[in-house]
Amino acid sequence: MAHESMPLFPLHQVLLPGAAMDLRVFERRYLDLVRDCGRSGGGFGICLILEGNEAGAPATPAAYGTEARIEDFDTGNDGLLTLRVRGHRRFHAIRTRVRDNGLVMADVEWLRADGEDVLRPEHALLGTLLQTMMEKTGTDLNGLPARIFEQAGWVGWRLAQILPITPEQRVSILQEDDVHARLQRLLEWID
């Protein structure tokens, strides 16, 4: 099976499919990464840091992550590049290597995309919970499709994004291919 090579941006947080994240970019290796993504139209991987720091020496990333695509960019008041990225496909990093400039590269295999599964009766409460949480935080729900809170994959990713769970728990959700198993795990953590 052929693997795709992709640059990684290890962080102390987890990007989930469909979620947005803001990044400040100042290290040369990541400025180069952004330039290369702009030229190729491609994305880069965001993985949780297992060992190390976000800046300085290359960190050891988790083996599972999410492809980030740049939606917007600007320069902050401090002159640093700021990015708005959104999570797309999940991946498993088969092997990693570090370039001379400190950028971590990974050979990745793409994980299965979610299907159109609807919430099972035992998880229906999670759709209601998510809708209530989003309403209470002032999220505008008018632009969302009418039945979005019945889609198992979407509900799972959004709950994993907003629930107060650890980054390690988010990675474990990221690794799970079965949308119903993801929802069951979230339900157990809520209890």
Side-chain angles (χ1 to χ4, degrees):
M1 175 181 216
H3 298 116
E4 188 174 328
S5 183
M6 183 170 61
L8 298 184
F9 198 123
L11 294 170
H12 286 294
Q13 52 188 323
V14 177
L15 178 65
L16 298 171
M21 179 183 284
D22 294 322
L23 300 173
R24 289 170 22 114
V25 182
F26 54 90
E27 287 188 88
R28 172 57 44 202
R29 61 185 163 180
Y30 297 124
L31 291 168
D32 292 345
L33 175 151
V34 171
R35 181 198 63 222
D36 294 345
C37 287
R39 288 180 180 164
S40 71
F44 57 93
I46 292 184
C47 294
L48 180 67
I49 292 176
L50 298 178
E51 290 181 24
N53 298 304
E54 290 181 355
T60 303
Y64 289 84
T66 302
E67 175 190 30
R69 293 281 179 150
I70 300 170
E71 288 189 332
D72 198 8
F73 63 92
D74 202 351
T75 305
N77 294 336
D78 54 8
L80 298 179
L81 176 64
T82 59
L83 300 177
R84 178 75 164 180
V85 300
R86 186 160 307 272
H88 283 266
R89 301 178 288 178
R90 299 175 304 129
F91 64 84
H92 177 223
I94 305 302
R95 67 183 78 52
T96 60
R97 61 196 173 285
V98 179
R99 286 188 175 168
D100 292 343
N101 66 355
L103 183 66
V104 177
M105 297 292 295
D107 293 331
V108 303
E109 64 180 2
W110 299 106
L111 300 176
R112 183 171 47 93
D114 292 342
E116 297 296 319
D117 296 39
V118 296
L119 291 173
R120 291 180 178 164
E122 65 267 29
H123 300 135
L125 178 62
L126 293 176
T128 304
L129 173 65
L130 176 62
Q131 187 170 3
T132 301
M133 291 173 77
M134 292 175 77
E135 287 169 350
K136 287 188 185 245
T137 59
T139 303
D140 181 13
L141 304 180
N142 291 326
L144 296 175
R147 297 182 145 314
I148 195 77
F149 291 97
E150 296 173 12
Q151 291 182 359
W154 189 84
V155 168
W157 292 129
R158 298 298 62 80
L159 278 173
Q161 177 185 347
I162 62 176
L163 286 174
I165 59 176
T166 68
E168 291 77 16
Q169 287 173 311
R170 284 190 179 91
V171 170
S172 75
I173 292 293
L174 199 59
Q175 294 176 55
E176 179 60 62
D177 280 333
D178 184 324
V179 295
H180 303 292
R182 270 187 233 140
L183 290 167
Q184 185 59 37
R185 197 174 298 170
L186 289 167
L187 186 61
E188 291 165 5
W189 290 334
I190 291 170
D191 286 345

